[in-house]
Amino acid sequence: MLQTSRLILRQWTDHDLVQFAQLNADPEVMQYFPAPLSGAESNAFANTIRSLIEQRGWGLWAVEVPGQAAFIGFVGLHIPANDLPCSPCVEIGWRLAKAHWGRGYASEAAEAALAYAFGELGLDEVVSFTAVINKPSEAVMRKIGMANAQQNFAHPRVEVDSPLREHVLYKIHRKEWELHLDSSA
Ligand SMILES: CC(C)(COP(=O)(O)OP(=O)(O)OC[C@H]1O[C@@H](n2cnc3c(N)ncnc32)[C@H](O)[C@@H]1OP(=O)(O)O)[C@@H](O)C(=O)NCCC(=O)NCCS
């Protein structure tokens, strides 16, 4: 479990599944993905994430706002499919329910996940990627000190003529993270 000034990043519970299905069914939350998820797809995704955290001790953690919201979405670390051009790599990612956007929660949780990646996991680099049109997500990447690697790529599991196919790749190296920490202290 990770803790920030306002948030807890933790392993998933069965109680999270209903709200996760709601946010995955929300067309606005899912506007930069090929389609919203059905309840069954959402549950399968949550169970995969949960078992990866169980195996590795880290992953796409469930995010809680103590005393206010038991579950607002996920933020954390993931090893993406090995057919992506950045692979092998560890990515940082996020997906929050709309009611909780615009409060700095994504970047606050992501800062804690990055600290875990460079601290506990001892990684040298963390990446993030999203559809080029997903400006809110790119803003989170910049906010946490990541830089555009100028290595856009076509996501192999998005249809060729989709506006979601071209992806932007952001990276942060351990040294850049240390500088970012110093500059935001
Ligand atoms: C992307 C997402 C997690 C952002 O969550 P959030 O909690 O609102 O983000 P934060 O409040 O930490 O904002 C971080 C920065 O992004 C900016 N930002 C947030 N939403 C934005 C938007 N809609 N448009 C432009 N910038 C935006 C914020 O202004 C902030 O920068 P600033 O502090 O310099 O102003 C949220 O919009 C989301 O869950 N989207 C749907 C899922 C998704 O697309 N995930 C990424 C897939 S790769």
Side-chain angles (χ1 to χ4, degrees):
M1 189 178 89
L2 309 182
Q3 192 145 12
T4 72
S5 57
R6 295 181 296 170
L7 306 170
I8 288 173
L9 281 67
R10 57 162 175 78
Q11 174 59 300
W12 294 63
T13 71
D14 289 341
H15 300 292
D16 302 328
L17 297 187
V18 171
Q19 286 176 79
F20 191 48
Q22 283 166 359
L23 78 85
N24 282 322
D26 182 339
E28 210 177 327
V29 172
M30 298 302 282
Q31 66 186 299
Y32 303 112
F33 295 88
L37 301 186
S38 68
E41 288 168 333
S42 177
N43 288 347
F45 183 30
N47 287 330
T48 302
I49 293 173
R50 179 151 57 171
S51 58
L52 285 170
I53 294 178
E54 186 75 41
Q55 285 164 36
R56 297 175 173 151
W58 54 273
L60 295 170
W61 290 285
V63 179
E64 178 174 335
V65 190
Q68 288 185 38
F71 175 82
I72 65 167
F74 70 71
V75 174
L77 306 167
H78 184 65
I79 299 176
N82 60 12
D83 60 352
L84 297 184
C86 61
S87 292
C89 58
V90 174
E91 68 163 316
I92 185 163
W94 33 74
R95 188 180 301 174
L96 301 183
K98 206 165 48 195
H100 303 282
W101 291 359
R103 299 181 193 179
Y105 286 157
S107 18
E108 182 172 323
E111 297 271 14
L114 269 189
Y116 187 91
F118 291 122
E120 277 84 346
L121 298 184
L123 301 182
D124 285 328
E125 187 177 75
V126 174
V127 309
S128 193
F129 49 84
T130 190
V132 288
I133 57 174
N134 188 348
K135 297 304 176 193
S137 193
E138 208 177 323
V140 177
M141 295 172 196
R142 277 198 298 272
K143 179 108 190 162
I144 63 172
M146 304 188 86
N148 190 330
Q150 307 295 341
Q151 292 168 19
N152 286 12
F153 65 95
H155 198 293
R157 272 167 302 288
V158 180
E159 290 193 19
V160 172
D161 55 357
S162 167
L164 299 174
R165 182 156 158 103
E166 185 183 353
H167 274 54
V168 67
L169 179 69
Y170 271 65
K171 293 183 178 178
I172 184 166
H173 192 274
R174 161 188 293 282
K175 286 202 175 68
E176 292 151 359
W177 172 69
E178 286 165 358
L179 287 173
H180 175 74
L181 277 189
D182 288 346
S183 68
S184 52

